[in-house]
Amino acid sequence: MSAGEWAGLIAALALVLLVALLAVPLLKLGRTLDETTLTIRQVREQSQPILGQAQTTIAQVNSNLERVDDITGNAANVSSNVAALTSVVAATVGSPLIKVAAFSYGVRSATRKRREGQAIAEAAARDKADRRARRAARRAA
C-alpha cells in the first residue's frame, strides 16, 4: 500500500467516524421533534373543546350584555322621565305653595302685631285710668 492509499483510507475512516458522531445528535433531534409534534397534537386536541366552551361562554356574555344595555337604556329613560316630572310638579305645585306660605306668614305677622298692639293699648288705657284716679284723689283731698 502506498502513502496515497493510506491517506485515502484514513480520510475514509475519518469520514465514517464523523458521520457516526453526527448521526447520534441527529437521531436525538429527530426523537425530540417527534415528541414535540405529539405534544402539539395533544394540546390541539385538548384545546378544541376548551375553545368551543369559551366561544359558547362569550356568546352568552354578549347576550347578557345586550340585556344589560337595554336595562341601562330603560333606566336612563326612567331617570329623565322622573326629572321631567319633578320639574312639572315643582312648576305646578311650587308657585301656589310659595304663595300659601307667604300668605300664612303675613297672617301670623299681622296677628302677632295686633296682639302686641292690643297689649300696648290695654297698658295705655290702664295708665290713663291710673292717672285719672290719682288726679281725682288729689282734687278730693
Side-chain angles (χ1 to χ4, degrees), residues 78-90:
V78 166
S79 67
S80 66
N81 290 341
V82 167
L85 181 64
T86 303
S87 298
V88 168
V89 168

Side-chain angles (χ1 to χ4, degrees), residues 86-100:
T86 303
S87 298
V88 168
V89 168
T92 304
V93 178
S95 179
L97 283 178
I98 290 171
K99 290 177 183 178
V100 167

Side-chain angles (χ1 to χ4, degrees), residues 117-136:
Q118 284 177 352
I120 291 172
E122 288 173 3
R126 273 182 281 157
D127 287 344
K128 189 175 184 181
D130 286 343
R131 280 191 305 242
R132 283 186 184 171
R134 278 185 261 153
R135 277 189 212 154

Side-chain angles (χ1 to χ4, degrees), residues 28-85:
K28 287 183 180 182
L29 182 62
R31 280 191 230 133
T32 303
L33 288 175
D34 290 341
E35 289 293 324
T36 304
T37 303
L38 181 63
T39 303
I40 290 172
R41 187 176 300 130
Q42 288 174 348
V43 167
R44 187 184 66 221
E45 290 171 358
Q46 292 174 359
S47 66
Q48 283 177 348
I50 293 171
L51 291 175
Q53 291 173 353
Q55 187 176 13
T56 304
T57 303
I58 289 172
Q60 290 174 351
V61 167
N62 283 337
S63 66
N64 287 336
L65 285 176
E66 288 174 3
R67 282 192 276 164
V68 168
D69 189 36
D70 292 341
I71 290 169
T72 55
N74 292 336
N77 287 339
V78 166
S79 67
S80 66
N81 290 341
V82 167
L85 181 64

